[in-house]
Each structure stands twice: as C-alpha cells, then as structure tokens.
C-alpha cells in the first residue's frame, strides 16, 4: 500500500491564557511512502512526529491537505475504516487478558462480512504469534511478560487484523538498551517478512537510521530532509540535519570563506574556488580527521578515550561551537598522549560548510 501525504497541515489553536499562539504541529507535509517501505519519522521532541502519525491513522483530522492510501482519498475516513495497525510506546495491553486473548481481541471486534470464524481467528492469532516469536507465552497475562515480550504481543495484536499500514510510535522507548536493539532488529525482520508499509516514529537518530529504508527528518512541524539514511548522513542539506544525525555528533566550528579558501581561525582547510567571501559554519564528522603533523587544523588535546577498535581524541579549539571536539581515529594511529596539541588534516567528504545566516549547506 502506497501512502501519499499532500500538503498536510495540522494547526492546534493556542488555548492557554498566557499564550494564544496557534501551534503548527505539521506544516505542509508532502511526501510519498512507497509500498512495502519502512519509513522513519525522526526529529526532536515536539517536532510533530506523533501528530503526523495520528493524521495518517485518522485519530486526528488535518486542518488542510489530503492523505491517500494508494489512489483512495482517506482524509475523511474514520480510523477503523483505514485498515491501520497501531503500536504505541506504552503497549496498552489489556492486563486482565492473556497474550492470546489480547491478540484475538481486535479480531473478535470485526463486524460484518469480514468477521472470521472462531477457528480462523485462532489460526490467525497463532500465525502472528509465531511471526513475533511468542508462541510459548500465549497463556500468560501481560504482568507475567517482560517489556520486550509485551511489546511483541502488542505488535502481534496490531498485525492480527492484517493492516494495510503499520504505524509504530516510539515502540521501543520503554525497553532497556539491549532489548531495544534486539526488538528493533525483530521489527525490521517482521516488516521485511510481511512487506507491510510501515511508519516508525522515533527521536533516536541511531534507531531511525538503522531500521528505516527512508528517513524523514523533521523540525518544528517542517520536513527538513527526506532520503536514504546514508544519503542524508553523507549529504545533509542544512546544519540542523547535519547535527541531528551521527554519534558522536558532528563537530561544528565558526569559520569563513576568504580569498578562495575555507578558514577556521587562520588555518586554511581547503580551496573553495568560486565561492564569494562570507562567514560560515564548518561541520567536520568525527571520522573526518586524519592525524597529520603537517595538517592545517591544530587542536588543544584534552584527553584520549580508548574504545578498542577506535580511539576518540577529545580536544578544544577557540572557533569550536561545542565545548569539545571529538575525532575518531584508528587505534593503530600513534598520538602522543602527553602532547598539548594535536594536528589533523581532514577528509574532504566529511566536511560540510553552511551559510552562517541561513544555516543552509553551501559546500
Ligand atoms: P514527542 O517526541 O515529545 O512525542 P512529537 O514530535 O511527537 O513529540 P507532537 O506530539 O506531534 O510532537 O507535538 C507537536 C506539537 O504540537 C507540540 O508543540 C505539541 O505541544 C503540540 N500539540 C500536540 N498535540 C496537541 C493538542 N492536542 N493540542 C495542542 N497542541 C498540541
């Protein structure tokens, strides 16, 4: 099922006494989710991710714009007629029902011609339970299941109705780090097996990057960039997207283009032929530094963190926007830990230059 959002906007009227301003939670969204794709909606808290999801499933009505499932305009359809499966952060399983009864529940509520026979309901429930690998746990009540198992029951329940679209809103937030990783791989596997078009909402860039075919990076209700995770990481369109993706985050310096060179302080990183002089921000990914005694970038060495395969060099520089600069280099590189200064050259493809006023990427 292909999903198309066309100029979708949701405005919440300002209600509080002190603040009458309307909130534009989703501002003119236009993009397409291809059939069978897993799309990650990514952005900081309050950027409108959940609102976008609620509009797709019909829990909220858009202020303007349209939503299509394939060629059908579903903008005015109630949620129950859209054929979407929903999984939220708090799994909202019925505590007094067993896992099996929880999975059966939505099937038992199907009315009319689509209602399954009891035997078919049982069969379907067992199929989805097998898919999410909880077949052994079907007699247990939610309180007798771990967080990850409860989440799988919630996913099985959403899948039981054979939704045309699966919507997942921060489904891993309540899990510990290890379980998060495991469950995210599970979700990817289940999605690949079922080929259900899926929208996955998260504020965690690593999670979105690792699980999605396509990511939509949002800020304040606006889509900042859409693309394959690696493409967006390698080619951010502005400073916000560059800083939002990547751990450790990109290092940002104040700099300038002057006389055909990109300068950080007095140090020229590379030639910028053709670009007029102006003030810029220079972003250098942590993996973009090459230890080089003759390199143009001289940083004040703070300390070195040994990570096993890699080493993180922590340093400072007067032009750095962040308190420290993190450079990740191979553990084989020899850095004099007692030195006060460390010199680097940079990998050209890991350096991005942004206009200081608009923060749009220019190089
Ligand atoms: P989080 O990651 O914190 O859940 P989010 O990106 O999902 O955030 P939304 O919940 O979509 O963000 O909220 C987007 C904006 O709309 C926020 O400024 C929020 O305060 C506002 N908002 C959301 N729901 C309502 C509502 N029912 N009434 C008024 N404002 C709302």
């Amino acid at each position: 099922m292909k999903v198309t959002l066309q100029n979708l906007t949701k405005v919440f009227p300002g209600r509080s006494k002190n603040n009458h301003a309307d909130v534009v939670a989703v501002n003119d969204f236009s993009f397409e989710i291809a059939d069978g794709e897993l799309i990650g909606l990514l952005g900081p808290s309050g950027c409108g991710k959940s609102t976008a999801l609620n509009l797709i499933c019909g829990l909220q009505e858009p202020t303007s714009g349209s939503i299509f499932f394939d060629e059908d305009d579903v903008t005015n359809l109630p949620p129950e007629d859209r054929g979407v499966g929903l999984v939220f952060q708090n799994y909202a399983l019925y505590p007094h029902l067993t896992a099996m009864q929880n999975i059966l529940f939505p099937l038992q509520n199907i009315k009319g011609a689509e209602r399954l026979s009891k035997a078919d309901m049982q069969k379907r429930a067992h199929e989805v339970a097998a898919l999410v690998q909880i077949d052994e746990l079907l007699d247990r009540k939610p309180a007798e299941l771990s967080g990850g198992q409860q989440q799988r029951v919630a996913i099985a329940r959403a899948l039981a109705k054979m939704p045309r679209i699966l919507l997942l809103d921060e489904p891993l937030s309540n899990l510990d780090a290890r379980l998060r990783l495991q469950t995210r791989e599970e979700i990817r596997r289940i999605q690949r097996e079922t080929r259900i078009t899926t929208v996955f909402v998260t504020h965690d860039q690593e999670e979105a990057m690792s699980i999605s075919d396509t990511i939509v990076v949002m800020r304040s209700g606006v889509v900042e960039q859409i693309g394959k995770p690696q493409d967006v990481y390698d080619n951010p369109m502005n400073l916000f997207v560059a800083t939002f993706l990547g751990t450790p985050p990109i290092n940002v310096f104040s700099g300038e283009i002057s006389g055909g060179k990109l300068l950080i302080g007095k140090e020229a990183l590379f030639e910028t032929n053709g670009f007029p002089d102006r003030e810029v921000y220079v972003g250098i990914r942590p993996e973009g530094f090459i230890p080089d005694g003759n390199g143009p970038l001289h940083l004040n060495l703070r300390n070195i963190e040994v990570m096993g395969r890699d080493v993180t060099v922590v340093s400072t520089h007067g032009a750095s926007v962040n308190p420290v600069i993190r450079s990740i280099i191979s553990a084989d590189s020899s850095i004099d830990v007692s030195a006060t200064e460390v010199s680097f050259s940079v990998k050209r493809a890991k350096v991005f230059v942004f206009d200081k006023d608009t923060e749009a990427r220019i190089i």
Side-chain angles (χ1 to χ4, degrees), residues 16-32:
S16 73
K17 271 192 196 146
N18 304 328
N19 189 358
H20 295 286
D22 291 347
V23 178
V24 187
V26 166
N27 193 350
D28 201 19
F29 271 30
S30 288
F31 60 86
E32 206 173 275

Side-chain angles (χ1 to χ4, degrees), residues 155-277:
I155 295 170
R157 187 175 62 178
L159 290 174
K161 269 172 80 173
M162 301 228 167
R164 304 192 288 173
I165 296 159
L166 186 62
L167 303 175
L168 307 166
D169 193 352
E170 302 262 8
L172 309 178
S173 302
N174 291 347
L175 308 181
D176 70 33
R178 185 182 290 258
L179 207 52
R180 251 181 115 99
L181 193 69
Q182 222 177 29
T183 313
R184 124 182 151 196
E185 285 161 6
E186 279 292 284
I187 290 178
R188 191 58 180 142
R189 175 187 65 78
I190 294 162
Q191 197 271 337
R192 285 231 164 93
E193 280 180 26
T194 56
R195 301 300 304 156
I196 296 180
T197 307
T198 301
V199 184
F200 185 99
V201 161
T202 177
H203 63 275
D204 180 335
Q205 56 89 27
E206 200 185 317
E207 199 163 280
M209 298 264 290
S210 64
I211 203 171
S212 311
D213 297 311
T214 300
I215 53 171
V216 177
V217 185
M218 298 172 54
R219 171 171 58 166
S220 308
V222 174
V223 172
E224 294 281 329
Q225 191 164 352
I226 300 180
K228 293 203 172 94
Q230 192 69 48
D231 292 347
V232 179
Y233 181 81
D234 290 338
N235 271 308
M237 280 164 62
N238 57 41
L239 184 62
F240 172 78
V241 175
T243 48
F244 201 73
L245 298 186
T247 15
I250 194 165
N251 301 288
V252 182
F253 299 85
S254 288
E256 61 179 325
I257 292 176
S258 177
K261 290 193 168 71
L262 174 65
L263 303 177
I264 292 180
K266 295 204 174 355
E267 297 152 332
L269 286 197
F270 50 76
E271 312 250 314
T272 57
N273 298 333
F275 282 94
D277 290 0

Side-chain angles (χ1 to χ4, degrees), residues 12-13 15 23-26 43-52 54 60 89 169-170 201-203 218:
F12 292 110
R15 284 212 196 95
V23 178
V24 187
V26 166
S45 178
C47 73
K49 306 180 292 291
S50 300
T51 305
N54 289 341
Q60 281 171 346
Q89 173 178 348
D169 193 352
E170 302 262 8
V201 161
T202 177
H203 63 275
M218 298 172 54

